[in-house]
Amino acid sequence: MPDDRDMRLAVVATIYRYLSHAQHFADRFLVGYPYEGEWRRSPGRVVSLYVDQSPEGDQAVDRGREFGFEVYPTVAEALRCGGGELAVDGVLLIGEHGEYPDNELGQKLYPRYELFKECVAVFEADGRAVPVYNDKHLSYSFDYAREMVEDGRRLGFPILAGSSLPVTWRLPDLELPHGTGIEEALMIGVGGSDAMDYHALEAMQCMIERRRGGETGVAAVQLIEGDEVWEAGREGRWSMRLLEAALSRSDTPRGATLEDGRTQDLLASGEIERLVEAPAAYLLEFRDGLRATLLMVNGAVGDYCFAARLEGEAEPVSCQFLLTPTPNVTYSACLVAKIDEMLVTGAAPFPAERTLIVCGILESCLRSRHAGHRRLETPHLDVEYLAPEASHHAHR
């Protein structure tokens, strides 16, 4: 089919190589992507690229040669396409992967804030701003993240940010009613801290933000680890019934299931405590009284599942956030469809404040761990917003 795409995009990335986030996302703007039973071509086309690092296996130069765009040595040159003024209609900022140091909290210091501010400097100097997609966290720092959101408000450009999990398919197709009463919520996830717990926290946030009154902020957090996690469950600090509901949605139980195919009640048998060598619980107290918990259960399952108790409902509701296989990872195509929506409408389909509050929750939980797993009050997490009426996750 003819290429009639007329929106010009700059990609600003940390690295661009096989299975990096830049490759997953930017490639879809080069060749298209599958979504809702059809092959889609974005209205945007990549016309420039900046990469912060060029490790072995770098694909930036080859992609530029194949698809006819330039790789520039600075962010400003990429946004101006080598000229004297802003020459693109949107920016894909993908600051994930690459060799960067960790801080004392164990956070990878990806330069998302720094790269974003270089884009903002161009917007300010040239008197025009364009939509920005920011992959995953806004920043490891809540203060930086808040400044980024305020930059968007100040200069009047939309910011779409966050994880692919809120927009992927759900099994079953659970959509909480907008304005529902949520009494308690629990999420289970897997992976390493700061990278994968972020995905799980944002998946839970996209569900609980739909509660009556909207999001009003977080009052306190605590991150606990080891045997204390299970003891906290037995004491009722998080709900064993919600864990049962979440585990019941998992398609990847470990242990005996992998050995001989038997089904297991991981919770009732106590097998989950044997399988999970390093459990972690993120205990969240919201300002409106909601309690929510993220349990990282590496070794027991391999997927991300949610459960909640709703007002007036005898049984919990629950679902799995579907993660499709590598290398296609078509759940990222679900997020590309939302980027396209922002490019066409000029408005982000869901607020950057969702990602902002998750950035703050994660940083505060890691500070709790660093401070000896103490409960920390979080008056700074005063983020308030209303979720959109539509959940924006994939249905078809």
Side-chain angles (χ1 to χ4, degrees), residues 338-372:
K338 297 300 150 183
I339 301 171
D340 279 345
E341 184 176 328
M342 177 178 66
L343 293 173
V344 171
T345 65
F350 41 85
E353 283 80 3
R354 173 197 292 168
T355 303
L356 173 62
I357 197 170
V358 174
C359 290
I361 289 170
L362 178 53
E363 182 190 26
S364 296
C365 285
L366 296 178
R367 290 193 183 281
S368 166
R369 181 176 66 183
H370 190 65

Side-chain angles (χ1 to χ4, degrees), residues 178-393:
H178 198 270
T180 193
I182 305 178
E183 296 179 342
E184 186 175 0
L186 180 141
M187 186 83 189
I188 58 173
V190 294
S193 183
D194 187 48
M196 305 311 291
D197 48 6
Y198 173 81
H199 284 293
L201 285 168
E202 189 150 28
M204 182 165 65
Q205 183 64 28
C206 83
M207 304 297 279
I208 63 177
E209 70 185 12
R210 299 178 64 78
R211 66 192 185 275
R212 185 184 307 119
E215 184 54 69
T216 59
V218 180
V221 304
Q222 186 177 14
L223 196 164
I224 58 177
E225 298 178 293
D227 291 340
E228 187 180 354
V229 170
W230 309 121
E231 187 59 32
R234 286 186 280 271
E235 292 173 355
R237 296 182 64 194
W238 53 265
S239 169
M240 289 282 191
R241 178 66 185 93
L242 291 185
L243 175 57
E244 177 187 8
L247 287 171
S248 74
R249 298 301 184 184
S250 173
D251 285 319
T252 56
R254 306 307 197 215
T257 300
L258 294 183
E259 295 166 8
D260 62 12
R262 75 184 67 186
T263 56
Q264 303 175 82
D265 185 341
L266 293 174
L267 185 57
S269 67
E271 185 71 353
I272 190 170
E273 296 186 36
R274 185 186 72 81
L275 292 173
V276 182
E277 295 182 358
Y282 297 60
L283 306 174
L284 313 180
E285 303 169 35
F286 287 81
R287 289 182 168 196
D288 61 1
L290 175 67
R291 290 193 311 161
T293 302
L294 166 63
L295 295 178
M296 297 299 281
V297 289
N298 294 330
V301 297
D303 41 27
Y304 295 79
C305 303
F306 169 83
R309 287 191 298 112
L310 305 184
E311 289 182 2
E313 298 289 336
E315 296 298 323
V317 295
S318 58
C319 70
Q320 176 193 144
F321 289 80
L322 180 63
L323 299 183
T324 48
T326 299
N328 276 356
V329 291
T330 50
Y331 51 90
S332 68
C334 300
L335 188 47
V336 171
K338 297 300 150 183
I339 301 171
D340 279 345
E341 184 176 328
M342 177 178 66
L343 293 173
V344 171
T345 65
F350 41 85
E353 283 80 3
R354 173 197 292 168
T355 303
L356 173 62
I357 197 170
V358 174
C359 290
I361 289 170
L362 178 53
E363 182 190 26
S364 296
C365 285
L366 296 178
R367 290 193 183 281
S368 166
R369 181 176 66 183
H370 190 65
H373 303 93
R374 289 194 296 112
R375 177 183 177 273
L376 300 180
E377 294 188 356
T378 55
H380 62 295
L381 298 184
D382 55 350
V383 180
E384 299 184 7
Y385 68 95
L386 289 175
E389 287 283 346
S391 65
H392 288 283
H393 73 279

Side-chain angles (χ1 to χ4, degrees), residues 16-294:
Y16 197 133
R17 67 178 178 187
Y18 179 61
L19 295 187
S20 69
H21 276 214
Q23 187 255 313
H24 280 312
F25 283 90
D27 275 13
R28 300 192 189 281
F29 290 90
L30 300 176
V31 301
Y33 57 94
Y35 187 66
E36 294 188 334
E38 64 181 12
W39 190 263
R40 292 196 178 183
R41 297 300 297 264
S42 171
R45 58 187 176 91
V46 176
V47 297
S48 63
L49 170 65
Y50 166 81
V51 286
D52 194 50
Q53 298 180 356
S54 299
E56 184 177 354
D58 173 70
Q59 296 175 319
V61 173
D62 286 343
R63 285 292 197 272
R65 184 182 301 115
E66 181 178 356
F67 292 97
F69 60 82
E70 190 76 25
V71 181
Y72 290 96
T74 68
V75 172
E77 288 174 279
L79 267 60
R80 293 176 174 135
C81 296
E85 63 182 16
L86 181 64
V88 296
D89 303 301
V91 177
L92 309 178
L93 197 166
I94 308 173
E96 180 78 0
H97 300 121
E99 294 300 320
Y100 296 95
D102 295 340
N103 65 11
E104 72 279 4
L105 303 181
Q107 294 172 292
K108 186 71 67 177
L109 301 181
Y110 291 120
R112 299 188 185 105
Y113 169 80
E114 292 80 4
L115 295 173
F116 183 90
K117 295 300 281 189
E118 290 188 54
C119 296
V120 168
V122 172
F123 298 165
E124 291 175 322
D126 296 357
R128 183 170 75 91
V130 298
V132 175
Y133 163 68
N134 181 95
D135 186 46
K136 283 189 67 177
H137 311 50
L138 288 158
S139 173
Y140 54 86
S141 160
F142 177 72
D143 288 340
Y144 284 172
R146 174 165 268 172
E147 183 180 336
M148 294 163 74
V149 173
E150 289 173 351
D151 280 339
R153 292 198 196 104
R154 177 172 58 88
L155 296 178
F157 65 90
I159 301 171
L160 181 64
S163 165
S164 297
L165 265 68
V167 294
T168 191
W169 299 269
R170 299 172 189 171
L171 302 176
D173 190 16
L174 175 66
E175 182 166 1
L176 300 185
H178 198 270
T180 193
I182 305 178
E183 296 179 342
E184 186 175 0
L186 180 141
M187 186 83 189
I188 58 173
V190 294
S193 183
D194 187 48
M196 305 311 291
D197 48 6
Y198 173 81
H199 284 293
L201 285 168
E202 189 150 28
M204 182 165 65
Q205 183 64 28
C206 83
M207 304 297 279
I208 63 177
E209 70 185 12
R210 299 178 64 78
R211 66 192 185 275
R212 185 184 307 119
E215 184 54 69
T216 59
V218 180
V221 304
Q222 186 177 14
L223 196 164
I224 58 177
E225 298 178 293
D227 291 340
E228 187 180 354
V229 170
W230 309 121
E231 187 59 32
R234 286 186 280 271
E235 292 173 355
R237 296 182 64 194
W238 53 265
S239 169
M240 289 282 191
R241 178 66 185 93
L242 291 185
L243 175 57
E244 177 187 8
L247 287 171
S248 74
R249 298 301 184 184
S250 173
D251 285 319
T252 56
R254 306 307 197 215
T257 300
L258 294 183
E259 295 166 8
D260 62 12
R262 75 184 67 186
T263 56
Q264 303 175 82
D265 185 341
L266 293 174
L267 185 57
S269 67
E271 185 71 353
I272 190 170
E273 296 186 36
R274 185 186 72 81
L275 292 173
V276 182
E277 295 182 358
Y282 297 60
L283 306 174
L284 313 180
E285 303 169 35
F286 287 81
R287 289 182 168 196
D288 61 1
L290 175 67
R291 290 193 311 161
T293 302
L294 166 63

